[in-house]
Structure formats: structure tokens, C-alpha cells
């Protein structure tokens, strides 16, 4: 529902993915044999070799100017350059040769763990039993109807955010969904629009903030509402205000629909949550990391960042000489095939 | 909260700010928004497809993912198998496409170097079991589903991400992207990204937390005891 966090993608680096993605449009004008421009020190420590990547890029308009300025530096994917550098030459790719230091995503961990524990208790003793009971007495199609109905109530907020994100096509889809589902869909109980090919968007205010470059800030667990960040929390407030402003139901009815939807959702995910809670080595860290990754992914999606930046890529899938550990591989064969 | 006075103050203050511009937006929202939609509704050009060389490079891993997905769905749809047999078969398939050695190194990150040689071997084994526990039991609640294998993309250092999406079942619409690396003349999966969440990154965060609190021995011990627990019945 919220948006990103660059927390495990340190911020100076985090903006690079979008930029290199933005570069795709102007880059097309470059010739195959153009020399790769020199890199000035403050922008990148090492010159990236030209690389070719697939994938689209949309939503670049907001950063067009910056993109234009940086494109000669970061862009450059040419067919001629598709002779891959060999594995050891990570430097050529502009990758750090060591795992980068990762900024602490959770400076308020102590407080957050406290709130998280409180939420867990509230979930285990209130929400989960209620949800189990609810799941027991209601059929699944009813959950679906509630979900659709709530989705229609949220739609104007989504539309508003899609407009703020300059997503014309998405905004038109949102309007289409409202018009179709509010009428043919029996005031939102049925989702007729999706089978008609009008996809459901889920833009939120936290995502919108991220789209316009607001950083997520520290991770923050909200009482009752769960994992969030500073930006995510503001996003929640924004979405809540939007929902209550745009709803055509009385406020109390909106509350009830929302509440029932949450209980239905919880009852549909009893097993998944049980399993994750039981099996993760640290459930708090699991939730924190998952939240941050999802919100980052949502902002990336809004910005049309399809291409991973070398930096964030290296952070997760980094390459280190030591790391290859040929000795280990020689002794154990290739893992994955060394079993039975 | 109990006093009636603040209520009377708060009410109008919530509604007032929206009267001007936002009020107009709400009352004429459809027209207004149609207009906005037209203004912003330019079609951003879709990107051209993969270049030929990239497509070549990505073809093999994409085929591998498609083949593996078919095999797994085949096992899930074989009617006369019990949970244990089904699980064993899926495990065999999964173990053959996963590069546990690379995944273990990436998951442990700098902590990998803190492990002694026998500890490394042990960790890889325990991690394998742990993954099997984590994901194996999810297959027991399988409902009829299909997996659409979408495009594939070449990443830095020639890794390939294969994009897939689940169609049908309770997980309808979920995206699962597989990252593969070509190592020792073989394509192997090194990460699964579900709805934007990399399993590798998530495990790394958790393991790092355990290591920072209890050291690498503590981590191995935690995994050992976790894996020794019986799985509760689903």
C-alpha cells in the first residue's frame, strides 16, 4: 500500500536505476561505433562498459532533464559492445569489487520491535481468531465480493494518485473500472472490468511520493497498521484521507467495509502467515525486509524502472574474487548437483 | 476524546479544505478527470524488443525455466501421489536447477568467509533443507494453476532474469521471477523474486541478524534445530 525504501539500496546509488532506465529513449540516437564517453569522477568512480539490456522504460518524463544530462554517462548499450567482459573484469562493468556497505535500514529497531510485538499479540489474540471464525462461516466468493466492493471505494483514490503520477493510461483504466463496476458490476460487488481487459491499478500516495523522489526514511512499525516507513506512514494518511473524502458511503459504512475486507484477507492467508511466522529465523526481519523490497518495487514500477542498476544489482548479486571460492567448488562439486 | 467540544471544532476543519478546488473536482470529477486523462494520456512509446544477441543469450535459461515449471506442474497434477512422494519429486527437480553453492555464498555475504570449510559444507546442506521446508509445504495446498513464462532479460555479468506469472489458483496474478547464472557450463537458478521480493535478499537480512547476535555458530545451530523440528501437519 505504501511505497519504497531505498534502505538496503543506499540512496546515492538508489537513484541510479531510474536514471539509467530513463536513458533508453535518448540513447537510441547514438551510433553503434560512437566512442563511450569519458566518465567524470563525481558521477561514477569507474567507467561502465557499454551494455545491452532489454526491457521498457516509462514514466521518464519527470526526470527528463536530469536524464538528458546523465545519459551520455550512464547509457550506452550498443550491439558492438556486446562482447562481454570476462568474469574477472567486474571493474569494467562499474561494479564494486566488494560487497558494498549497507546503510542501517532500521535505526529505530528497538522501538519497532516493541510495536511489532504488540501487533503480533493483537493479531494472534484478536485478528487471527476472528479471521478464522469469519473464514469458517463465510464462503470464498463472499470475500471476493467484499474485496471488489472495497476496491471500488478505493478507486477514486487510486485514480487521484495515478493522475499525480502522470499516468494517463492508468487513469483512464481507473475511470473505466469505476464506470463499469459501479453499474454492470452491481455497485462494485462483481469485478466485471478485469475480464473485460481493464486491469486494476493500485497506486497509493506513498508510491506517489516515491515517484516524485521522496526517500522512504527509516523503517517504522505502526501500531495496528504494521510495517511502514516515514513515507509509507504519510502515504497511509493520504490514502485514508482520500478514501474518506471520495467515498459515497457514510464514513461508518466505509469503516465497516474496510474492516470486513481486512478480516477476509486475513482469513484467506491464515496458512501462509502461519508458515512464514513459524519458519522464518527472524520474523521481524523477514517483515521488515519484505516491506522495504515491496515498497521499493512499487516505486520502481511507478517510475518505469525496469532495468536494474549495476549498483543495486551488485549489492545483491555481488561478485568478488574471493567469493568465487573455487576451492570450495572443487571439493564439493557444483552445489545443486552434488546431492544424491 | 470524551468531550463534545473538540468534535464540533474538528468536523468542519476536516471538510473545509476540500471545498474549493477539490470540491469542484469531486462534483465534476468525471469530466475533469476525462480532461486530465486526455492531457496526460500520451502513449509513451513501448521499447523495442531484445536485441538479437541478448535474446540468444537468454533463450537457454528461459527454456530451462519453462521446462522446470512444466515438470513441477506435472508432478503436482499427477493424481495418485501422496504428499511425501510429491514433495520428494519436486525436491529432486528443484535441487537439480538450483545453484545452492552460489546462493549460499550470496545469502551469507561477508559472513561466508567466517565459516570454516566443514561449516560451509554444513551450511549449504542445512540451507537446502531449510528451503525445502519453507517452500515444500506450500505445494501441499496446491490448486490448479498455470504458469506463464514471459520474457527474459540479460542482467549485469550475463545473469538472466526470467519473468513468470501465475495464472489461476489462490496465487493468481503473482509474479515470480527467476534469476539464473551460467556457471561451470550450466544454467542454474540463484534467486527467486516473488512480487518484487527477492528471497535471497530476505534470507540475507535474516541470517545477518542472527549472525550479528549469535555468531556463525549460532546461525548453524539455529538452522540445525529448525530443520530437526517436525513439520506440523498442514
Amino acid at each position: 500500500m505504501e511505497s519504497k525504501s531505498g534502505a538496503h539500496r543506499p540512496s546515492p546509488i538508489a537513484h541510479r536505476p531510474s536514471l539509467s532506465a530513463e536513458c533508453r529513449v535518448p540513447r537510441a540516437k547514438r551510433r553503434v561505433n560512437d566512442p563511450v564517453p569519458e566518465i567524470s569522477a563525481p558521477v561514477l568512480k569507474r567507467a561502465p562498459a557499454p551494455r545491452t539490456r532489454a526491457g521498457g522504460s516509462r514514466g521518464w518524463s519527470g526526470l527528463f532533464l536530469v536524464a538528458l544530462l546523465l545519459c551520455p554517462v550512464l547509457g550506452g548499450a550498443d550491439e558492438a559492445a556486446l562482447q562481454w567482459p570476462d568474469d574477472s573484469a567486474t571493474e569494467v562493468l562499474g561494479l564494486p569489487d566488494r560487497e558494498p556497505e549497507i546503510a542501517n535500514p532500521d535505526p529505530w529497531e528497538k522501538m519497532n520491535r516493541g510495536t511489532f510485538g504488540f501487533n503480533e499479540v493483537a493479531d494472534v489474540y484478536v485478528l487471527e481468531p476472528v479471521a478464522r471464525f469469519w473464514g469458517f462461516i463465510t464462503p470464498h466468493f463472499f470475500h471476493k465480493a467484499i474485496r471488489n466492493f472495497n476496491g471500488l471505494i478505493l478507486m477514486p483514490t487510486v485514480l487521484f494518485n495515478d493522475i499525480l503520477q502522470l499516468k494517463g493510461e492508468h487513469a483512464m483504466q481507473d475511470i473505466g473500472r469505476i464506470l463499469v463496476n459501479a453499474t454492470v458490476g452491481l455497485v462494485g460487488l462483481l469485478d466485471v472490468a478485469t475480464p473485460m481487459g481493464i486491469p486494476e491499478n493500485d497506486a497509493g500516495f506513498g508510491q506517489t511520493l516515491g515517484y516524485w523522489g521522496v526517500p522512504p526514511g527509516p523503517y517504522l512499525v505502526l501500531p495496528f497498521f504494521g510495517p511502514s516507513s516515514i513515507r509509507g506512514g504519510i502515504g497511509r494518511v493520504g490514502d485514508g484521507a482520500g478514501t474518506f473524502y471520495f467515498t459515497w458511503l457514510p464514513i461508518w459504512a466505509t469503516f465497516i467495509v474496510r474492516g470486513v475486507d481486512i478480516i477476509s484477507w486475513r482469513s484467506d492467508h491464515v496458512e501462509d502467515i502461519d508458515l512464514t511466522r513459524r519458519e522464518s529465523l527472524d520474523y521481524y526481519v523477514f517483515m521488515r525486509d519484505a516491506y522495504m523490497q515491496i515498497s521499493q518495487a512499487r516505486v520502481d514500477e511507478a517510475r518505469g524502472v525496469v532495468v536494474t542498476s549495476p549498483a543495486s544489482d551488485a549489492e545483491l548479486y555481488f561478485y568478488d574474487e574471493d567469493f568465487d571460492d573455487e576451492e570450495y567448488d572443487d571439493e564439493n562439486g557444483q552445489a545443486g548437483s552434488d546431492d544424491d | 476524546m470524551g468531550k463534545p467540544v473538540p468534535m464540533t471544532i474538528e468536523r468542519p476543519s476536516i471538510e473545509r479544505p476540500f471545498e474549493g478546488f477539490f470540491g469542484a473536482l469531486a462534483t465534476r470529477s468525471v469530466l475533469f478527470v476525462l480532461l486530465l486523462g486526455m492531457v496526460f494520456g500520451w502513449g509513451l512509446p513501448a521499447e523495442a524488443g531484445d536485441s538479437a544477441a541478448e535474446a540468444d543469450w537468454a533463450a537457454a535459461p528461459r527454456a530451462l525455466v519453462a521446462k522446470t515449471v512444466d515438470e513441477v506442474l506435472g508432478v503436482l497434477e499427477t493424481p495418485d501421489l501422496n504428499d511425501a512422494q510429491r514433495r520428494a519429486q519436486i525436491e529432486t527437480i528443484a535441487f537439480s536447477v538450483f545453484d545452492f553453492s552460489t546462493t549460499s555464498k550470496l545469502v551469507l555475504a561477508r559472513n561466508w568467509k567466517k565459516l570454516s570449510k566443514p561449516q560451509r559444507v554444513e551450511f549449504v546442506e542445512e540451507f537446502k533443507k531449510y528451503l525445502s521446508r519453507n517452500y515444500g509445504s506450500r505445494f501441499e495446498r496446491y490448486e490448479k494453476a498455470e504458469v506463464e513464462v514471459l520474457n527474459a532479460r540479460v542482467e549485469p555479468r550475463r545473469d538472466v532474469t526470467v519473468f513468470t506469472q501465475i495464472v489461476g489458483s489462490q496465487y493468481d496474478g503473482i509474479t515470480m521471477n527467476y534469476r539464473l547464472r551460467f556457471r561451470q557450463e550450466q544454467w542454474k537458478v540463484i534467486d527467486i523474486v516473488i512480487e518484487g521480493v527477492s528471497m535471497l535478499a530476505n534470507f540475507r537480512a535474516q541470517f545477518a541478524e542472527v549472525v550479528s547476535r549469535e555468531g556463525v555458530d549460532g546461525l548453524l545451530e539455529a538452522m540445525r534445530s529448525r530443520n530437526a523440528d517436525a513439520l506440523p501437519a498442514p
Side-chain angles (χ1 to χ4, degrees):
Chain A
M1 261 121 279
E2 293 73 38
S3 17
K4 76 150 181 193
S5 135
H8 64 213
R9 296 145 193 215
S11 52
I13 296 170
H15 293 282
R16 227 181 276 164
S18 49
L19 293 178
S20 62
E22 322 316 347
C23 293
R24 313 212 87 241
V25 180
R27 202 217 298 127
K29 293 186 186 114
R30 285 187 47 204
R31 287 294 159 96
V32 170
N33 289 321
D34 280 356
V36 180
E38 274 293 318
I39 314 299
S40 53
V43 185
L44 266 189
K45 291 234 171 69
R46 297 197 182 90
R51 263 171 303 109
T52 301
R53 301 274 201 73
S57 101
R58 295 171 52 188
W60 45 272
S61 47
L63 288 165
F64 187 64
L65 220 139
V66 188
L68 271 183
L69 288 173
L70 286 178
C71 269
V73 179
L74 294 167
D78 307 313
E79 276 67 26
L82 207 65
Q83 286 107 34
W84 307 91
D86 48 336
D87 290 2
S88 59
T90 50
E91 196 168 328
V92 188
L93 282 170
L95 301 175
D97 53 8
R98 233 177 309 115
E99 179 190 7
E101 285 291 335
I102 295 165
N104 178 15
D106 191 7
W108 302 331
E109 179 167 349
K110 210 172 166 208
M111 178 186 76
N112 282 338
R113 277 191 188 266
T115 323
F116 188 80
F118 169 80
N119 287 345
E120 283 294 285
V121 170
D123 181 71
V124 169
Y125 288 99
V126 184
L127 184 56
E128 192 184 330
V130 170
R132 278 181 189 273
F133 179 68
W134 179 252
F136 181 69
I137 61 169
T138 52
H140 187 71
F141 75 83
F142 185 70
H143 296 188
K144 198 90 180 99
I146 292 285
R147 211 197 86 92
N148 293 337
F149 189 62
N150 189 48
L152 187 62
I153 294 176
L154 295 179
M155 219 60 228
T157 313
V158 173
L159 169 61
F160 194 66
N161 280 297
D162 274 331
I163 293 170
L164 289 179
Q165 293 175 22
L166 314 180
K167 299 267 192 301
E169 195 186 331
H170 286 202
M172 298 307 274
Q173 290 164 352
D174 300 338
I175 295 168
R177 284 188 75 86
I178 296 174
L179 295 179
V180 171
N181 281 350
T183 53
V184 191
L186 307 177
V187 208
L189 290 179
L190 299 179
D191 178 7
V192 195
T194 307
M196 280 173 62
I198 311 176
E200 182 171 14
N201 301 313
D202 60 351
F205 191 55
Q207 187 191 34
T208 302
L209 292 175
Y211 175 88
W212 290 107
V214 178
Y219 180 66
L220 178 67
V221 181
L222 303 172
F224 299 109
F225 292 98
S228 195
S229 59
I230 297 290
R231 189 184 64 198
I234 296 170
R236 262 185 190 287
V237 173
D239 289 337
T243 309
F244 291 129
Y245 183 64
F246 288 117
T247 185
W248 63 91
L249 290 173
I251 296 291
W252 59 267
T254 310
F255 260 118
I256 290 176
V257 173
R258 193 63 183 276
V260 172
D261 185 44
I262 290 171
I263 293 168
S264 297
W265 180 88
R266 185 65 180 82
S267 84
D268 290 342
H269 291 87
V270 166
E271 285 100 348
D272 288 325
I273 293 173
D274 263 4
L275 184 75
T276 312
R277 195 181 261 161
R278 193 180 63 232
E279 292 299 323
S280 40
L281 286 188
D282 190 325
Y283 187 47
Y284 170 83
V285 175
F286 172 91
M287 290 293 274
R288 180 181 72 198
D289 182 76
Y291 171 80
M292 288 174 159
Q293 286 200 54
I294 289 171
S295 53
Q296 173 72 52
R298 281 173 53 77
V299 170
D300 284 351
E301 191 195 341
R303 288 181 159 195
V305 179
V306 191
V307 181
T308 341
S309 75
S312 70
D313 188 272
E315 192 187 303
L316 185 51
Y317 306 102
F318 57 92
Y319 314 99
D320 188 329
E321 297 272 313
D322 279 1
F323 225 69
D324 248 342
D325 204 355
E326 296 296 345
E327 202 182 347
Y328 173 85
D329 292 326
D330 290 344
E331 278 167 33
N332 296 283
Q334 172 153 10
S337 48
D338 65 341
D339 56 293
D340 27 58
Chain B
M1 280 307 211
K3 287 182 189 170
V5 185
M7 289 293 286
T8 54
I9 296 169
E10 264 173 41
R11 270 239 164 144
S13 75
I14 288 174
E15 285 166 14
R16 278 280 149 76
F18 296 114
E19 265 175 13
F21 170 74
F22 290 101
L25 177 77
T27 46
R28 278 169 251 164
S29 55
V30 173
L31 275 178
F32 189 84
V33 153
L34 275 173
L35 188 73
L36 276 178
M38 277 183 255
V39 172
F40 294 122
W42 62 73
L44 295 172
E47 280 297 313
D50 310 355
S51 73
E54 260 194 11
D56 279 356
W57 182 249
R62 190 178 175 280
L64 177 67
V65 168
K67 177 174 145 272
T68 309
V69 160
D70 281 348
E71 284 174 7
V72 170
L73 288 179
V75 172
L76 287 170
E77 274 152 27
T78 312
D80 42 341
L81 285 177
N82 63 32
D83 280 348
Q85 290 168 321
R86 195 163 282 158
R87 197 163 168 164
Q89 293 199 9
I90 291 174
E91 221 166 59
T92 314
I93 299 169
F95 284 179
S96 71
V97 294
F98 246 94
D99 183 350
F100 285 100
S101 132
T102 301
T103 308
S104 298
K105 290 171 200 166
L106 292 174
V107 152
L108 280 184
R110 66 191 64 193
N111 290 323
W112 175 259
K113 288 174 197 161
K114 295 185 192 156
L115 296 178
S116 68
K117 274 186 204 167
Q119 276 179 324
R120 290 177 184 183
V121 179
E122 193 193 349
F123 178 83
V124 174
E125 276 313 305
E126 294 293 339
F127 186 49
K128 227 165 166 175
K129 284 186 208 159
Y130 182 66
L131 283 175
S132 168
R133 282 175 71 88
N134 261 270
Y135 295 103
S137 49
R138 294 188 198 254
F139 289 114
E140 279 151 29
R141 292 185 292 114
Y142 171 75
E143 292 171 16
K144 175 91 180 137
E146 277 167 44
V147 175
E148 222 177 313
V149 179
L150 308 167
N151 54 328
R153 179 177 82 200
V154 181
E155 308 280 6
R157 208 180 110 162
R158 308 160 77 185
D159 284 358
V160 168
T161 298
V162 180
F163 298 84
T164 76
Q165 188 167 34
I166 299 176
V167 181
S169 86
Q170 72 268 47
Y171 300 118
D172 185 43
I174 299 275
T175 60
M176 288 183 74
N177 305 334
Y178 299 84
R179 181 161 178 131
L180 294 96
R181 185 170 290 180
F182 190 69
R183 209 165 135 263
Q184 300 177 345
E185 305 305 308
Q186 273 180 306
W187 281 103
K188 296 273 180 176
V189 177
I190 59 166
D191 190 14
I192 304 180
V193 181
I194 304 173
E195 286 285 284
V197 179
S198 150
M199 296 297 102
L200 193 60
N202 194 282
F203 283 126
R204 181 191 288 181
Q206 289 187 61
F207 291 177
E209 182 78 16
V210 176
V211 170
S212 75
R213 268 189 280 123
E214 294 156 39
V216 286
D217 295 321
L219 175 66
L220 277 170
E221 181 51 42
M223 295 190 74
R224 236 178 273 136
S225 69
R226 182 59 55 94
N227 289 337
D229 283 350
L231 265 180

